[in-house]
Each structure stands twice: as structure tokens, then as C-alpha cells.
Amino acid sequence: EDYENVTPATEVLHAAPCKQTDIYSFAQKYSPVVYCLLFILAVVGNLLVICVIRHYRSSQRGRSCASSLADTFLLHLAVSDLLLAFTLPLFAVQWAHEWVFGLTVCKISGALLSLSRYSGIFFLACISVDRYLAIVHAIGSGCKRNTFHAQAVCAIIWVVCLALSGADIAFKQVGDAATFGHYGLLCQAWIPRDTPHWQVVLQMISAFVGFGLPVFIMLYCYVCIFRSLCTATRRQKRKSLHLIVSLVSVFVICWAPYNCFQLADSLQALGVVAGGCLFGRVLDIGTLVTESLGLSHCALNPFLYGFVGVKFRRELAKMCKEMLGRRGLLGMEEWRERRSRKATSSLGSGTSENTLNSVM
């Protein structure tokens, strides 16, 4: 009686007194499938990114000071996306059945979802700043851009995002979903009736810190990079601009619709927009769909920041070749090479085999 379901992070918005049976029915069919699919893609892709980065660092140990700076942000980005992905099966179970994991897991999973979302977006902005420094200020930055500075920045980001996720720890509750026409338990953000302004405050912080500020940083950095690339050759310019347009476009496409629906909900809460049941229904379903679109960014990040890069694909192929080694078709090449060397010298054969066993 003391709480009102106002604005969930991964759940449908409340639009009392309108009935929301059809909205809950749609969420039961839509959310479990999408969340499970995103979970699989995000886990596989980001684990590959982590493995490739660790393999590349092992092979590049002792080289230039700034060579692994971008890899540091990419590694933390992959960890952030993995943390987000691990919360998706919990909410998939919630929509398929009900929340069965208790209040503590509800608060932790909600906070972890916000922590991963904020940190992932900030790491994307850090990658943009790193590319800006490497291309626009290549001569002046030099060894000032080292891994120690990158690790310090990452630590600050994690602390700030942990503080931002404190709202979920405070407001996440497990309550009955009778307003949806379904008498079950849902893990949602429940705002006290006497403090409705918290809804608008939290949504504005999410829109500004989680979208507006990172987009501004990314656009500024990439516009400066675009100007700097005007002096490059046509082929280099096309490759770089293609990647830049892809990064900014996918980020905006994924998160802009969700933030627009959040803004519309805030305007409705402030009384600026007077919406009826139809407006509330569109707002509820739109928030549900657009949030899943935003969460899909954790599965797209490995492809954008990893698989698009030529060096990353080359390192992935090298790692797979070393892992498979002498098995299957990849092992046939080494087997033929050993046979040819064995024909010339038995000593050369032993040396070749030792070299193949220590590719790193």
C-alpha cells in the first residue's frame, strides 16, 4: 500500500488505472525469447573478445607502451557486457513465470544491470577518446597514454557506475503484479507514493548520463578524427570512416528509442503530456521493445569493436590455429611442413616442432 509501481528498468511501465493484461501477455511471449537469445550471443561474443585480447597481450608483451591502451578499454567493455548478459536469464524466467529468486537477488540483479549498462557506455566513450588522442594528437600523446592511466580511468568508471546503480538497490522490490491482471511476483522499481519526483529524477539521470553525455563525447571525437583523416589516402579514409559511421550509428540506433520513451514517460509524470489508456499502452510496449533493443548492444559490441577489425580477425585465426594445432585440417599444414623439413634434416625436424609448440 505504501508503494506504487512507477518505472521499471527491465519491466513494463505502470499506467493505472488502465488494464494491462494484454501488455503482460505480450511481455510473456516477447521478453523470454529475446533475453535468452541476447544472453547466448553476448556470452559467446564477449568471451571470444576476452580470450583474443589476452592472447594478443601475451604475444605483444614488452613492446610499445601504448599498444594495448585501447585493448584495456575493450577488455573492460567485454567484462561489462558479460555482467549484463548474466542478468538476462533471471528476467527471462520472471516474464515466463514469475520472480522466484527473492528480494536480495532482485536488488543485486537490478543494480548489476544498471552498473553494466552505464559502464559499457562509458567504456565506449573512452575508446572514442583513445582513438581521438591516437589519431588527432598522435605526436603529442605518445607514451603518456599508457596502460596504468587506462586502468585508473577504468577503476574510476566502475566506482561511478556503482554509485549510479545504488538507486536500484534502494527502489527494487519484489511485488505482486495484480495490476497486470496476473497474480504473480515481479522484480521492479517501486517508488513511494509521497516521492513521485524520484521517477523523473532517475529517468533524467539515465537519459543524460547514460546517453546524452556519451553521445556528445563520441560525436566530438569522431568529428575531429574525420577532419584529421581528410589528409589520409582515399583507401585509408574509406575504411576509417566506414568504421566510425558504424560505431556511432549502431550506438544511437540501439539507445535513442529507449531514451525517447523514457523522456515521454517523464513528461507524462510531470503533467506536460496528458495521455490516456492508449498513450499509456503505447508507452509501455514501446519501452519494453526499445529497452531490449538497447540491451542488444552488449551482443553487438564484440562485432563492432572486435570482428570488424582486421587485426582482431587475424589474431582470432591465429589463436584458433594454435588451439587446434595438429588436429583436423589446420593440423595438416603443420604435418606437411614437418614432413618436408624431416626430409632435409632430422635435427631441423626437432627444432621445427619445438617452435610450433611455443607460438606465443
Side-chain angles (χ1 to χ4, degrees), residues 158-359:
W158 284 114
V159 172
V160 172
C161 294
L162 184 62
L164 291 173
S165 63
D168 289 272
I169 298 178
F171 294 115
K172 282 288 185 180
Q173 298 289 335
V174 178
D176 186 36
T179 55
F180 293 99
H182 172 80
Y183 293 88
L185 298 178
L186 292 179
C187 173
Q188 295 181 335
W190 298 76
I191 309 297
R193 292 180 181 271
D194 56 346
T195 58
H197 60 277
W198 276 107
Q199 172 193 3
V200 180
V201 172
L202 294 177
Q203 288 180 339
M204 290 296 99
I205 293 177
S206 175
F208 175 75
V209 179
F211 181 76
L213 182 61
V215 166
F216 174 78
I217 295 175
M218 293 173 67
L219 288 177
Y220 175 80
C221 293
Y222 288 139
V223 166
C224 294
I225 293 174
F226 172 80
R227 294 177 178 176
S228 179
L229 288 175
C230 289
T231 58
T233 63
R234 176 174 294 183
R235 184 177 181 182
Q236 291 175 337
K237 186 192 300 185
R238 286 179 178 177
K239 289 184 177 180
S240 301
L241 294 182
H242 181 267
L243 179 60
I244 290 173
V245 172
S246 299
L247 295 178
V248 178
S249 300
V250 172
F251 177 79
V252 173
I253 291 173
C254 286
W255 283 113
Y258 173 74
N259 285 275
C260 290
F261 276 94
Q262 289 285 283
L263 178 61
D265 185 68
S266 298
L267 294 177
Q268 185 185 35
L270 292 174
V272 179
V273 177
C277 291
L278 179 60
F279 179 80
R281 183 175 291 104
V282 172
L283 197 63
D284 294 343
I285 297 179
T287 301
L288 182 70
V289 174
T290 55
E291 187 182 29
S292 64
L293 178 63
L295 294 176
S296 67
H297 202 244
C298 70
L300 295 175
N301 281 335
F303 296 94
L304 293 176
Y305 290 86
F307 300 119
V308 171
V310 177
K311 181 185 294 185
F312 185 91
R313 294 198 302 268
R314 187 184 301 118
E315 193 67 24
L316 177 62
K318 181 180 178 182
M319 185 186 70
C320 294
K321 186 175 182 179
E322 292 179 9
M323 291 177 59
L324 295 177
R326 301 173 181 83
R327 301 175 184 176
L329 296 177
L330 293 177
M332 292 297 296
E333 296 181 2
E334 299 178 2
W335 177 75
R336 294 192 186 98
E337 184 178 356
R338 290 199 306 271
R339 282 195 60 182
S340 61
R341 294 185 180 183
K342 185 176 180 180
T344 57
S345 172
S346 59
L347 180 60
S349 174
T351 304
S352 172
E353 189 171 355
N354 290 334
T355 303
L356 291 172
N357 288 332
S358 58
V359 178

Side-chain angles (χ1 to χ4, degrees), residues 9-50:
T10 55
E11 301 88 350
V12 181
L13 296 176
H14 180 58
C18 303
K19 295 182 179 180
Q20 294 185 322
T21 307
D22 55 340
I23 300 175
Y24 189 85
S25 177
F26 172 77
Q28 282 184 311
K29 299 176 182 178
Y30 174 82
S31 297
V33 176
V34 174
Y35 287 174
C36 290
L37 180 60
L38 292 179
F39 169 74
I40 296 173
L41 294 177
V43 169
V44 173
N46 288 286
L47 283 179
L48 276 177
V49 170
I50 293 175

